[in-house]
Amino acid sequence: DADVTQTPRNRITKTGKRIMLECSQTKGHDRMYWYRQDPGLGLRLIYYSFDVKDINKGEISDGYSVSRQAQAKFSLSLESAIPNQTALYFCATSHPGLAHTELFFGEGSRLTVL
Amino acid sequence: GDSVTQMEGPVTLSEEAFLTINCTYTATGYPSLFWYVQYPGEGLQLLLKATKADDKGSNKGFEATYRKETTSFHLEKGSVQVSDSAVYFCALTANTGNQFYFGTGTSLTVIP
């Protein structure tokens, strides 16, 4: 089983619908992240969380919200989806307290907003 | 602020050709530098990393050297294989490890 699991892996929805992408991890990491990948733009940070009570906006948080339900779970919501939110979304984790830590990624959730 | 600039693609090479993907960075302090690889239909996985100047990261025949004087971390491989076809991302994190910054990715296709 993957250490970082994202659900759903693929989702097609319509403009205006509320969508939730879920992420769970078994690595025991405190830090969790949501990124968005678009062709030619690389990965952009949406939100990140360093522990259950800590939520921080990334560079492109508008139109998104998150919830850290437990150390192992971090969900991303689109309250009212729009077509330019069509993208590949990645959840990632990292080990706390290490200056030279790395990110561990899930397999991605492909979202299409019609 | 911190940022990463990497060579735009796509790059197409014949099998056994030499690969270089350029990456330069802007950062305060002493960042850690990474190369991640994304195979088709998969998430990103760490390929190699270097945590201080002059360090060389290596894995699966790929190498990159942390050059502080040129603020670069170019990825190289002497002989690419079809299985190396993927998207490669250069990334950095400041020495606090709080945030990671990614380049735009370089798509590599290796043809037999």
Side-chain angles (χ1 to χ4, degrees):
Chain A
D1 289 342
D3 293 327
V4 183
T5 303
Q6 294 183 230
T7 55
R9 294 291 312 280
N10 288 284
R11 182 72 183 270
I12 300 173
T13 190
K14 295 182 178 179
T15 297
K17 295 292 187 181
R18 184 177 188 274
I19 295 297
M20 179 180 287
L21 305 179
E22 298 185 336
C23 177
S24 62
Q25 53 113 347
T26 58
K27 299 190 74 67
H29 291 169
D30 283 338
R31 298 183 175 186
M32 299 187 74
Y33 307 76
W34 276 105
Y35 285 89
R36 167 178 172 161
Q37 182 182 12
D38 298 278
L41 296 178
L43 271 72
R44 293 181 291 167
L45 182 63
I46 306 172
Y47 272 95
Y48 61 103
S49 168
F50 285 171
D51 63 42
V52 174
K53 296 182 180 180
D54 176 76
I55 300 290
N56 303 281
K57 293 182 177 180
E59 61 180 298
I60 56 163
S61 59
D62 287 349
Y64 301 94
S65 63
V66 291
S67 174
R68 185 78 184 268
Q69 301 95 325
Q71 187 212 35
K73 296 184 182 296
F74 191 38
S75 59
L76 176 72
S77 294
L78 289 67
E79 298 301 326
S80 180
I82 56 177
N84 77 359
Q85 291 177 314
T86 293
L88 184 56
Y89 292 85
F90 285 104
C91 176
T93 73
S94 69
H95 193 288
L98 294 181
H100 305 301
T101 188
E102 64 185 81
L103 286 171
F104 296 86
F105 285 86
E107 293 184 325
S109 295
R110 184 169 296 282
L111 176 65
T112 303
V113 183
L114 302 176
Chain B
D2 295 353
S3 66
V4 174
T5 301
Q6 69 179 95
M7 171 179 156
E8 291 191 13
V11 174
T12 302
L13 294 174
S14 297
E15 205 165 23
E16 299 184 1
F18 183 84
L19 169 70
T20 299
I21 301 177
N22 291 337
C23 172
T24 58
Y25 68 89
T26 300
T28 55
Y30 302 93
S32 293
L33 302 173
F34 306 84
W35 277 101
Y36 281 84
V37 59
Q38 182 183 27
Y39 297 106
E42 299 183 11
L44 282 73
Q45 54 187 277
L46 181 68
L47 180 59
L48 53 86
K49 69 179 181 182
T51 59
K52 62 183 187 294
D54 300 325
D55 268 1
K56 178 185 284 187
S58 62
N59 186 25
K60 299 181 180 180
F62 290 89
E63 294 183 340
T65 301
Y66 187 163
R67 302 286 189 198
K68 189 167 178 61
E69 64 276 14
T70 55
T71 62
S72 65
F73 192 55
H74 305 321
L75 182 68
E76 296 182 337
K77 187 174 185 182
S79 177
V80 294
Q81 305 300 313
V82 172
S83 57
D84 293 327
S85 297
V87 181
Y88 293 82
F89 292 90
C90 186
L92 71 82
T93 184
N95 53 11
T96 61
N98 286 349
Q99 288 203 36
F100 293 77
Y101 299 88
F102 286 83
T104 55
T106 302
S107 175
L108 170 67
T109 300
V110 180
I111 55 178

